Amino acid sequence: MSKVFKLFKLALISLLVVTLLLIVLIIETKPLVVVDATAQVDDADTINLLLSQARQVTRKRYIPQTIIISNPQMNSIVGFLQRAIPEFSGEITTTEEKLSAKFSYKIPINWFSAYVNLEGDLISSAGIKVDNIKLGDLPISGKWALSVMTYIVNWRTESDLGNLALKQVSEVKTSNADVQIKLIPIHEFLVSLNEIRNGLSGTDNEELKQRVTYYLAFLDALSFSQHRGGLPLSDFINPLFKKVKSKTANSSAVLENEAALLALAIYVGHHRMANFIGKVQPYQNKVVMPYYRPLLRGRSDLTQHFVISAAIKILSQQGISNAVGEFKELMDRAEGGSGFSFADLAADLAGIKLAVMAIDPLYAEALQDALAQVQSENQFFPIIDNLPEGLSKDVFSRHYGNVESEEYKEVVRSINRQIENLPLYQDLTIKESDSNNLL
């Protein structure tokens, strides 16, 4: 017995030593890379060209194709991530031989500066070859890293998707300006991907999915959903939250609010929002949606911004919601785009505010009561008459510089002040039982 105990003790000490050694090797006191995300996202308008390539690849899926990704495009995506996750920073550079990526993540420890640094190279070669990978001071084999990533994808999707994805790339070619990824015909891969996607759920919360399905069916059954055009969004919100309020007696206010706002985003925002949740459409082989999308300030695009931003907030972190809206507007500055719109950004921020309050246990029920009595968009949506729109990249830069300038920040602060002062949020009361817990 004593021998078994000694072996167990030895194994435990060895495990602790290995763990401490890994921590020493991986955790560092300085970031590997410090970059200005503001400068990176300034090239967000170039992403439209990348999206066009992606659409073309899916259209021409039966023939080999090449995707060309420029350095500004790659780094603008990295900059978006940094705007969404302030603790993250990254940078991508290319040469004739390789693509080099460096990333840092600040561990949220108040009393100690701790970073996880990751770097590696994508080599110009046939297929995909990675090398020179380091996690902190810990070197990692490129082949082993690819094998681990492939295994994780396969395990998560319960398929061989990771292996299939690697086989689609016939060659990687880098230059000082971009990386070219040559693909074999991807039709079979897309078919497999669609089958795998249909077998996956966006969330493991079955109760949430059931509630979303219920509210989608309710919205579709509203008498005016398939007939009149030009209806304000408030005409949908009012009956929806009357129903939500009636269901909360036997449920959680937060759960019902989440489900209702997600259903609203799917129904009047875009039906593909359901992909982030799972199979929630109430009827087989039918996508429910209104014949005419309801309006905010007389515009259907503002409705989309508002409800989809609320849904993204529910499904993610607030920083990501803010960054998505901002990045989308920066993309719109490209030639041929609609231009940067502070009105669209206001709709994004208003949607985020609604979601924040709806999923706060202190205010969830009070918000239900308020939304069930909504009669006008003026109660939950800001005035946009004086907000600049249609700004090209040159005009935006001339007037606001970048997204870290005081001029830009002051417009955003002004929008947020107006949202905070909307009637919907002025009379909300904290749930009594929860307020007692704060004392």
Side-chain angles (χ1 to χ4, degrees), residues 28-48:
E28 300 185 291
T29 58
K30 293 182 179 179
L32 178 65
V33 55
V34 178
V35 294
D36 181 10
T38 303
Q40 290 176 319
V41 297
D42 197 47
D43 289 315
D45 51 296
T46 65
I47 295 297
N48 291 303

Side-chain angles (χ1 to χ4, degrees), residues 241-254:
F241 275 87
K242 284 181 178 176
K243 177 61 68 174
V244 169
K245 185 178 175 183
S246 71
K247 292 296 180 181
T248 296
N250 299 312
S251 180
S252 156
V254 170

Side-chain angles (χ1 to χ4, degrees), residues 58 191 324 349:
T58 58
V191 171
V324 168
L349 295 173

Side-chain angles (χ1 to χ4, degrees), residues 21-30 32 101-105 107 115-121 131-142 144-145 148:
L21 182 60
L22 287 174
I23 291 173
V24 170
L25 288 172
I26 293 173
I27 306 300
E28 300 185 291
T29 58
K30 293 182 179 179
L32 178 65
K102 297 179 179 180
F103 305 107
S104 294
Y105 180 81
I107 301 173
Y115 295 86
V116 175
N117 294 317
L118 175 66
E119 60 183 313
D121 298 331
D131 202 2
N132 303 319
I133 298 177
K134 287 180 67 178
L135 182 59
D137 286 327
L138 181 66
I140 299 174
S141 161
W144 185 83
V148 169

